[in-house]
Amino acid sequence: MNDYDTARQVAQALLKREHTPTRQIIEEKVKIAIDSTRTSEQGRAVEVDEEKLVRELESLFNIWMGVGRVLENQEGHIPWLADRNSEINWAFWNRYARYLEEEKGWAPATTKGLDQLTDSILERLENPLRSGAWDRRGMVVGQVQSGKTANYTGLICKAVDAGYKLIIVLAGIQNSLRSQTQLRLDEGFLGYESRLHRALTEETSAIGAGRILVGKRLVADSATNSSDKGDFNRKVAGQFGISAGGGNPLLFVVKKNTTVLKNLLQWALRQGDKDEKSGKRIVRGVPLLIIDDEADNASINTNPPLFDENGKVQEEYDVSAINGLIRKLLHSFEKSAYVGYTATPFANIFIHPDIDKKNQEFGDDLFPRSFIINLPAPSNYIGPVQVFGLDTDPAIGLEASEPLPIIRSVDDQKEWMPDKHKKDHVPGELPGSLKEAIRAFILCCAVRIVRGQENDHNSMLVHVARFTAVQSEVAKQVKDELTSLQKGLRHSDGKVTGKLEEEFEQLWKDDFLPTTSSIISSIPDPELKSLSWEEVEPLLHRAASKIQIKKINGTAKDVLDYWEHKNGLSVIAIGGDKLSRGLTLEGLSVSYYLRASKMYDTLMQMGRWFGYRPGYLDLCRLYTTDELVEWYEHITVASEELRQEFDYMADVGATPDEFGLKVRTHPQGLVITGANKMKTGTVMRLSYTRSLSETTIFYKDENKNQQNLEVTEELLRTLGEYSRKESNNYIWQDVPAKKITSFISGYQSHPKVKTANTRHLVDYINAQLPQQELVLWTVVIISNSRGKKRCIAGHEVGTTLRKNASPESSQEYRLSKSRLLSPTDEWLDLPKETREEILEITRRRREEAGKPPGAGNTPDGKVLRSKRSPKNGLLLLYPLEPEVINSEIPVIGFVLSFPDSKTAQMVEYKVNNVYWQEEFGQL
């Protein structure tokens, strides 16, 4: 450990007692720390950059973390942690917590948050000392690249301390991800390098947490190791002499692979004895904890097989087989707990819990029936909201957030890498945008040297094709470009000359300087500081010469061996699916991403650029297409809405089953995960309770728009004289449901607006009528006082202006920001007292969530809908200004606001893979 790290550790220990230390207090503690380091070194000169250390600690102690929200079902569970807490020796956990702060530089607030969150998960598992049979199933939902591995490492440490004897970690379907996960657990839990030793011995060289002195040695055994071939296999199974439930805790880190899981199941069953009732072997007295990393990948029970790029079935990765083996493993233990970790829980929530028909061979499916915990990300996490931004949307309770200025639009890639290229595609000349991205990466590496981060890892991601042969061609092209740049930057005097110098300097001045300035003004990271071109230029060759090219795919032998490069690895990683999930790219700064998918979970998992970027966030860049940015913006809203729904249901004490039902039956549910995670011909159930149906995409076809106008006028004429007007809007009350369904049936909605599927809407409304729900409606035609006047069914109406976000050549009229509703329009049917109550609840919730006060008269849409009677629905009609699409016929949009209902009937429809193929071009 160098002088700087020693001083940092001492200063952190001194600052632990301070809740929110000021800069002055940090400066004082740093001086004490440096003096103590100097004293301990018997007066030798201690080399510590005092200002840099103060800045780092200032940043560290400014980090905060929210509280995790929980949905749970206590059935069959006996609370235990509070009673046993004081008697448990938390040795593995305390060592890990010290390792995170002392070696990994974690903020005390983040470690404290991790402590609370892992307690929250552990107490919802069963007491490992509890006698008899028990089985708990839970799920932990975090953001992509937000630290889920650190969370379950902490949970494993605590579970072992509490008495769990057997830990199995299911770590993805790739060797590289399994190895990376094992290495993390070697460092955080085992404390030794598993590829050299199966258990910690006196001679073993400790790593990670193993270097933290805690008195007696902490020993845990591992049946697997961190080498590429370190998975559990028949040879290991045959030689493995340690039994489950022996003296030391036992760890397995395995792939989700049928062969591996069969070996593991056979090994486990040898530990058991025959059950007299069922005739099957059961392992008794050994509490099992299974951690399922990336639980939405391969663990889901589905029928369609996965295919490789040549169209052959990947039998080894048949997802149904893997699901069955995981369930058999759990079903073979008398005492078991399963915790799935994922950032994209959509597929897991779509599992239908079959409570009444317990499968005798496999046991329950993996639906998290016991609990779901929503992990908060620390304040220094850079996720989808920060990268892509959010628009204010009170209808679903979302706050506005400006995107970081790090996205760079790519529009010159189509000839080089067409969207639907084949496996034998040979890319043409490298596009200028990728050449610029490589230069940006070199600049980033150079700046990090100036900032004292030379020994940190630097990564660039190039993800443009799924076919390995195409990836190889791309790797050659990138290698040629990098080699050319390295040669051009090699000068004896360290100066760059000529055209290349101009290119780098131009990119620096046009891009890097303004971006750094913008981010420094908005992100509280004292490590960020502006630099001059004169400081950066001399280091370009040094930075470029260190960069390597690595292909990361199933055929390449390259590995991202960051741990082998103690002085930092600088790498451009080129790959496909291997880079799409779970695998962490250390120090990722520049991403060049063209892979097209329209599935929420797939796109989010591909976002390797999310995570933590201390001291270099201003250098990060995402080069991608405008279309992909639009999809990510849409998915960010959908993901945040799911989290809002989770928090709402946690507030009212809902169970995981109730939350799962809400998501599965939500009209947007159909587009959140791939069809291969639902069975072919699956019957879906749909409910619009406490939601909006809103038209946001329209036809430009004048015949269709004329028809929708006529259907609207026909409805309004049957309503007679309006009941009242408010803010120019015409309002009719107590309208029978039949008139609403007649209007919806005659309206032609655009098929891309899933929430406004007219057939589903009519079926849903009709299904509620026998329960005396949605029997009477309020109809409002919105009249904008500043809009152009139109006569609609004899009423003078001001049209609403909504911009068209589609290109002029498109046949679609797509609303900008995908929003038709104005928030306060939704309460036009509610009395003044109810509106005031809604605002009060909205303000209180904001305050409880620690958010600043919002606009005084903007209601939370979910709260609003919960205050409307189940008997009453609301139909808002928006005549949109047709000049936006160069037409004379007003485009009619509608919003249906549905009340909350505890007894709402659901409508059924079938999903099939043909539908998916047509809608999204993929399965």
Side-chain angles (χ1 to χ4, degrees), residues 383-391 401-411 413 419 591-598 600 603-604 606-607 609-610 621-638 805 814 817-818:
V385 172
Q386 289 78 11
V387 174
F388 297 103
L390 274 178
D391 293 310
S401 176
E402 287 295 317
L404 290 166
I406 61 174
I407 298 173
R408 301 295 176 263
S409 180
V410 173
D411 59 7
Q413 84 291 355
D419 289 344
S591 300
Y592 192 90
Y593 174 59
L594 302 179
R595 284 290 304 276
S597 167
K598 293 179 181 176
Y600 290 21
L603 274 175
M604 277 302 186
M606 284 178 174
W609 46 83
F610 303 130
R621 299 291 182 270
L622 169 57
Y623 287 81
T624 191
T625 63
D626 291 341
E627 182 188 22
L628 274 166
V629 169
E630 184 182 334
W631 269 98
Y632 272 109
E633 288 171 345
H634 177 67
I635 294 165
T636 300
V637 171
R814 183 187 292 266
K817 311 299 184 187
S818 295

Side-chain angles (χ1 to χ4, degrees), residues 5-26:
D5 290 337
T6 303
R8 178 175 55 76
Q9 279 192 13
V10 174
Q12 266 189 254
L14 293 171
L15 286 164
K16 259 190 174 180
R17 304 180 189 90
E18 306 287 342
H19 183 56
T20 50
T22 62
R23 181 179 175 87
Q24 183 180 353
I25 292 172
I26 292 172

Side-chain angles (χ1 to χ4, degrees), residues 3-195:
D3 295 342
Y4 182 91
D5 290 337
T6 303
R8 178 175 55 76
Q9 279 192 13
V10 174
Q12 266 189 254
L14 293 171
L15 286 164
K16 259 190 174 180
R17 304 180 189 90
E18 306 287 342
H19 183 56
T20 50
T22 62
R23 181 179 175 87
Q24 183 180 353
I25 292 172
I26 292 172
E27 287 173 344
E28 290 171 2
K29 303 302 183 188
V30 165
K31 289 183 186 300
I32 294 170
I34 292 174
D35 287 342
S36 68
T37 304
R38 190 175 290 121
T39 302
S40 66
E41 292 294 329
Q42 300 179 338
R44 91 169 163 79
V46 172
E47 296 180 10
V48 177
D49 185 333
E50 188 173 327
E51 176 58 26
K52 180 187 173 185
L53 181 54
V54 168
R55 286 200 314 272
E56 182 182 340
L57 292 172
E58 191 178 9
S59 176
L60 202 61
F61 280 85
N62 274 327
I63 295 169
W64 54 270
M65 196 173 187
V67 179
R69 308 297 290 274
V70 184
L71 294 171
E72 61 183 321
N73 184 348
Q74 292 278 8
E75 186 178 347
H77 177 59
I78 300 176
W80 63 280
L81 187 57
D83 293 335
R84 282 196 60 206
N85 204 328
S86 61
E87 68 187 50
I88 295 172
N89 176 17
W90 298 105
F92 275 95
W93 162 253
N94 288 332
R95 183 180 76 168
Y96 180 57
R98 283 185 55 195
Y99 164 69
L100 291 177
E101 288 192 9
E102 296 175 17
E103 298 293 325
K104 303 296 284 183
W106 274 39
T110 311
T111 312
K112 182 181 178 183
L114 179 63
D115 188 15
Q116 293 170 343
L117 286 167
T118 45
D119 269 359
S120 185
I121 301 166
L122 184 66
E123 69 183 353
R124 287 170 173 84
L125 305 182
E126 218 53 57
N127 181 357
L129 305 186
R130 176 183 165 184
S131 60
W134 43 262
D135 173 25
R136 297 287 283 171
R137 307 282 171 99
M139 183 167 70
V140 178
V141 182
Q143 300 267 20
V144 176
Q145 298 284 94
S146 65
K148 294 184 295 299
T149 307
N151 185 284
Y152 66 67
T153 302
L155 176 62
I156 289 169
C157 289
K158 285 187 175 180
V160 165
D161 287 333
Y164 277 86
K165 288 294 187 180
L166 181 60
I167 310 294
I168 298 173
V169 179
L170 307 174
I173 63 174
Q174 305 281 2
N175 281 330
S176 52
L177 179 54
R178 193 214 66 82
S179 297
Q180 186 184 77
T181 303
Q182 176 88 51
L183 185 64
R184 296 278 179 85
L185 287 166
D186 286 0
E187 293 173 336
F189 168 55
L190 295 174
Y192 60 87
E193 202 164 351
S194 58
R195 63 178 174 161

Side-chain angles (χ1 to χ4, degrees), residues 527-596:
E527 291 281 297
L528 303 181
K529 60 179 181 179
S530 292
L531 300 172
S532 67
W533 174 241
E534 288 69 30
E535 291 175 281
V536 175
E537 182 194 10
L539 295 166
L540 290 176
H541 174 248
R542 185 160 139 197
S545 62
K546 193 176 177 181
I547 297 171
Q548 303 177 37
I549 307 292
K550 289 183 181 259
K551 282 188 297 178
I552 309 298
N553 59 42
T555 63
K557 294 182 180 179
D558 292 344
V559 292
L560 290 170
D561 50 349
Y562 294 106
W563 58 91
E564 298 285 358
H565 293 76
K566 304 305 180 187
N567 295 324
L569 171 66
S570 291
V571 62
I572 299 178
I574 297 163
D577 294 340
K578 266 197 172 187
L579 295 174
S580 296
R581 182 180 278 275
L583 200 64
T584 299
L585 296 170
E586 302 285 353
L588 178 63
S589 53
V590 178
S591 300
Y592 192 90
Y593 174 59
L594 302 179
R595 284 290 304 276

Side-chain angles (χ1 to χ4, degrees), residues 121 124-125 136-140 290 292 295 337-341 366-373 656:
I121 301 166
R124 287 170 173 84
L125 305 182
R136 297 287 283 171
R137 307 282 171 99
M139 183 167 70
V140 178
I290 290 184
D292 189 353
Y338 167 90
V339 184
Y341 278 76
L366 301 179
F367 181 80
R369 53 175 156 74
S370 304
F371 63 86
I372 305 175
I373 295 182

Side-chain angles (χ1 to χ4, degrees), residues 691-693 777 826 864-865 868 872-874 895-899:
S691 68
L692 288 175
S693 173
W777 287 70
E826 201 181 352
L864 189 153
R865 271 159 250 141
R868 184 177 286 119
N872 305 121
L874 170 68
V895 175
L896 291 168
S897 176
F898 292 97

Side-chain angles (χ1 to χ4, degrees), residues 130 201 276 303 425 456 519 563 685 725:
R130 176 183 165 184
T201 63
E276 291 183 6
N303 284 338
H425 171 67
D456 292 347
I519 289 179
W563 58 91
R685 302 172 78 201
K725 285 183 75 174

